[in-house]
Amino acid sequence: MIHYHRGIYGLLTVVAMSGMQGCIDHDYDLSQDIDLTIEAGGELTLPTSSVAPYTMKKIMNLSEDGTGSIRPDGALYGLANGDYVLVQAGEGSNTVFSVPEVTLSNLSAPGASQSVPVSFTVPSGVTLPTFNIYIGENGGTGGLNTKIDAIENVMHMSESNVNPDLVRLDKVGTDINATFKMWVSLNNSNVTAIIKRGFRVAFDEALSLELASSNADCGFEGSTLVFNSDVNVSTLNLDLRVKGLDCTKLPTGQGLVDHDFTFDGKVTTTGCIEVSGVSVPAGDVSMNINTSFSISSARITSVVGVVDPTITIDDSSFAINDIPDFLSDGSTVLDISNPQVYLTVDNSSEVSVDVDVTLLAMSDNAGQLARVDVSGIRVRPGHNVICISREGRGNRSDITSNVTVANLNDLISTIPDRVEVKDCRAKVVQQPVEFVLGRDYTFATDNEVLAPLAFGSSLSFTYSEKEEGWDEDLEDYNFKRLYISAVTSNTIPLSMKPSARAIFKDDPNGDRSRGVRVNVEGGIAAGTLANPSESTFKVEIVSEVESLAGLDGIEYTFTADDPIPGAPLNEAQALTITQLNLTIAGGIIVDLND
């Protein structure tokens, strides 16, 4: 994490040589006549220097093409420009579901047709005068006027084993075609009659109807067909369409009961019919008022009620790639303050759906690293952006609902190779909705993981950096102790505890095999761009047996922990060594023979 310029060590030669110039006779050929091995006692301290800032951008060392999962794209997610986020989109799923229309096949019952006799006595040898037949209502008295009860036709529709996806029906939209007919007959022949203004054909109040065609001037008032003027016909013919049925107005036992649908209603005819100019024999005469109601086809096309269609969501996954080695070496324990998984769902139906999912962190080498079960995801009709997060809030501006999952960080505490979305369980919320039958609805999902790199209190990871090539500057010097003192300015919101080991040119294990001891004191406090921290740490490299000849560098290992809670990592943050002092102690032997 820290670079020392080799020029610093070049100063060592200059300082040593300047200290010896007064003792050398320039008339001698030093290369032949004198052994130029010089020993100096005491300590040698080099002038204070500084090191260029070591930025998070350099530490991260991300690819420049922006294809990795970690990017400095915080500004796109409500954070500051340059803030690091782990963001990766996953595979989507597209489900099509529907509930079929219900065709009612049983459309007839006794009582659908009625023939009501009307009897009277005609004097001998006369033409039948004009007379009125009052159906279900009082009229004029005297003469041949007569009154009969209202005529009732039965209307029946039923179907067994209705699709179990229909749980409860409050109202249904229907496409039902029916015909009502009425005629007056005498001796099996139709008699032309005048149906008087105000004549009424009443249907069950639960029905919503419209007139498809008619040979009379009439129209619906509610569920009752009312004649607006007199009509002279031999047969009244009304083609009707039933558009809907309010099941809440039906008596107990009708509507949808245990997956069987039944409707039984009545068609009630009332009003006045005028008959005249009919020649009949003298004596007792019997005429008939005939009515019939028939249904040619009946379908339930939509419902208002509770439905339970099956919605299947496919498993999906998304890869986590191009992660810096120090974050993905398996020993790192990340504690992201608020990781987020976004589930985007476009639900074209009217139903709300509760979804439970299982999220798995998977490693190509180690298999399953963590499992997080998520429940309570409610998908409403339309466009949904659901944020599943540790803190119950997200960074995107288009969030429609939040789901809190306290252990969500388990997914990336050790960064996996991929996150799998499995065992998606969708259950339609059992509440009344309007639902069109026979229509294909879509339930399209996409997902994305978003983890702003703002670390929590349990964070722990290590980062190592080597400084090598010192032997090119130090090969002429033989010493046993080296002190490095550094004053740092830190804007990275992580505390760092340094440790170190010496590296020798001819032995990479250096301090492990030469009796070299490396002591480190102090640490680096966390800081921010607004409030940098200042810290000091010291490194002592001591040879317990031999000299430090051949010292080629040092490897620093920084253990990062104790972050500033919620402070994001930003590519502009940096660790800067503002003051760097090197001291060689315990005597120095300088070999100038070369």
Side-chain angles (χ1 to χ4, degrees):
M1 188 175 288
I2 302 173
H3 284 291
Y4 299 101
H5 297 304
R6 291 177 181 170
I8 292 172
Y9 299 100
L11 291 173
L12 184 60
T13 303
V14 176
V15 173
M17 288 295 292
S18 64
M20 302 300 169
Q21 283 179 355
C23 302
I24 299 174
D25 187 338
H26 294 283
D27 292 334
Y28 290 97
D29 184 350
L30 298 180
S31 65
Q32 297 181 12
D33 301 324
I34 299 178
D35 179 6
L36 298 182
T37 300
I38 303 171
E39 183 174 353
E43 295 183 347
L44 179 62
T45 301
L46 302 185
T48 299
S49 63
S50 62
V51 177
Y54 201 73
T55 64
M56 280 302 304
K57 183 175 182 179
K58 185 174 182 180
I59 294 173
M60 286 294 187
N61 192 28
L62 303 176
S63 61
E64 296 294 332
D65 59 8
T67 58
S69 295
I70 292 182
R71 311 167 197 168
D73 292 342
L76 301 177
Y77 300 94
L79 302 170
N81 186 43
D83 282 355
Y84 285 103
V85 289
L86 188 158
V87 57
Q88 187 68 54
E91 303 167 357
S93 171
N94 191 20
T95 298
V96 178
F97 66 97
S98 65
V99 177
E101 292 182 346
V102 178
T103 299
L104 305 177
S105 58
N106 188 357
L107 305 176
S108 63
S113 298
Q114 300 286 355
S115 182
V116 180
V118 180
S119 299
F120 49 90
T121 301
V122 177
S124 177
V126 301
T127 299
L128 186 66
T130 298
F131 68 98
N132 296 322
I133 303 171
Y134 295 95
I135 304 171
E137 63 179 28
N138 294 321
T141 59
L144 295 177
N145 294 336
T146 188
K147 177 180 179 299
I148 61 174
D149 293 336
I151 301 173
E152 291 185 346
N153 295 83
V154 173
M155 178 179 179
H156 173 81
M157 300 179 291
S158 64
E159 186 64 32
S160 300
N161 299 319
V162 173
N163 191 323
D165 289 351
L166 297 174
V167 178
R168 191 186 86 200
L169 302 183
D170 297 331
K171 296 181 179 180
V172 297
T174 59
D175 183 9
I176 300 173
N177 297 300
T179 300
F180 177 81
K181 293 183 178 181
M182 186 182 70
W183 65 99
V184 180
S185 62
L186 175 65
N187 298 329
N188 296 320
S189 298
N190 288 7
V191 175
T192 299
I194 298 175
I195 300 173
K196 303 296 287 183
R197 182 175 181 272
F199 197 85
R200 304 168 75 86
V201 181
F203 297 85
D204 193 292
E205 64 173 354
L207 299 176
S208 174
L209 306 99
E210 64 182 12
L211 191 63
S213 65
S214 171
N215 57 350
D217 179 13
C218 55
F220 276 101
E221 296 179 3
S223 59
T224 299
L225 193 66
V226 180
F227 284 70
N228 301 315
S229 60
D230 295 351
V231 57
N232 191 344
V233 294
S234 61
T235 300
L236 176 65
N237 195 82
L238 306 174
D239 290 326
L240 310 170
R241 183 173 294 113
V242 181
K243 300 183 298 180
L245 173 62
D246 187 345
C247 298
T248 64
K249 295 181 178 180
L250 299 180
T252 301
Q254 292 195 42
L256 185 65
V257 180
D258 296 331
H259 304 302
D260 293 336
F261 181 85
T262 304
F263 171 78
D264 285 307
K266 293 181 178 180
V267 181
T268 303
T269 303
T270 58
C272 178
I273 296 177
E274 180 182 288
V275 180
S276 63
V278 179
S279 177
V280 296
D284 295 332
V285 175
S286 180
M287 304 180 69
N288 290 84
I289 307 296
N290 305 284
T291 57
S292 71
F293 182 83
S294 61
I295 301 174
S296 58
S297 63
R299 294 181 299 126
I300 298 176
T301 58
S302 65
V303 302
V304 175
V306 179
V307 297
D308 191 19
T310 299
I311 300 175
T312 302
I313 303 175
D314 296 333
D315 293 346
S316 61
S317 66
F318 41 88
I320 307 296
N321 53 64
D322 196 22
I323 303 299
D325 290 341
F326 73 95
L327 291 179
S328 60
D329 63 3
S331 63
T332 296
V333 177
L334 294 183
D335 183 14
I336 306 296
S337 62
N338 191 34
Q340 300 149 42
V341 174
Y342 286 87
L343 180 64
T344 302
V345 185
D346 287 302
N347 175 16
S348 69
S349 76
E350 295 86 354
V351 299
S352 294
V353 182
D354 285 337
V355 178
D356 297 340
V357 301
T358 297
L359 304 176
L360 300 179
M362 302 298 296
S363 165
D364 291 338
N365 296 325
Q368 181 176 313
L369 301 176
R371 171 181 175 141
V372 176
D373 292 311
V374 184
S375 59
I377 304 171
R378 176 153 294 187
V379 178
R380 293 178 170 81
H383 184 65
N384 297 262
V385 179
I386 301 157
C387 177
I388 304 166
S389 66
R390 190 178 188 180
E391 298 180 352
R393 61 176 181 83
N395 290 92
R396 285 173 47 171
S397 61
D398 58 347
I399 296 171
T400 58
S401 63
N402 286 283
V403 177
T404 303
V405 179
N407 65 333
L408 188 61
N409 185 70
D410 292 353
L411 280 180
I412 52 176
S413 60
T414 299
I415 294 183
D417 293 304
R418 64 189 182 280
V419 174
E420 295 184 354
V421 183
K422 298 182 71 67
D423 299 330
C424 300
R425 303 165 298 279
K427 177 66 176 176
V428 173
V429 178
Q430 299 298 280
Q431 62 186 17
V433 295
E434 183 175 353
F435 197 87
V436 178
L437 304 183
R439 174 186 294 177
D440 284 342
Y441 291 102
T442 58
F443 199 83
T445 65
D446 286 304
N447 49 62
E448 179 184 64
V449 63
L450 172 64
L453 295 190
F455 295 121
S457 59
S458 299
L459 167 75
S460 175
F461 70 83
T462 59
Y463 177 74
S464 296
E465 179 70 20
K466 290 182 180 180
E467 292 294 336
E468 298 178 275
W470 294 7
D471 187 61
E472 296 178 14
D473 294 312
L474 297 179
E475 62 181 352
D476 296 330
Y477 305 93
N478 192 346
F479 52 93
K480 297 189 69 172
R481 181 176 284 112
L482 175 67
Y483 294 104
I484 303 171
S485 175
V487 177
T488 64
S489 174
N490 185 27
T491 58
I492 300 172
L494 299 170
S495 296
M496 288 173 273
K497 181 68 175 178
S499 61
R501 74 177 185 91
I503 301 173
F504 288 82
K505 188 173 183 179
D506 59 346
D507 185 359
N509 292 322
D511 54 344
R512 296 190 180 97
S513 61
R514 289 174 173 255
V516 174
R517 174 169 47 87
V518 180
N519 300 319
V520 180
E521 296 180 2
I524 302 170
T528 65
L529 288 170
N531 295 293
S533 72
E534 287 197 1
S535 307
T536 301
F537 73 90
K538 298 178 180 180
V539 180
E540 178 190 31
I541 304 176
V542 181
S543 175
E544 302 283 5
V545 180
E546 303 175 359
S547 72
L548 293 175
L551 179 66
D552 192 48
I554 192 169
E555 180 180 27
Y556 293 96
T557 298
F558 291 91
T559 301
D561 57 14
D562 193 24
I564 298 174
L569 290 184
N570 187 286
E571 65 177 352
Q573 295 163 348
L575 172 65
T576 305
I577 297 179
T578 58
Q579 297 181 40
L580 178 67
N581 294 296
L582 278 78
T583 300
I584 298 175
I588 309 166
I589 298 174
V590 184
D591 185 357
L592 301 179
N593 286 296
D594 293 333

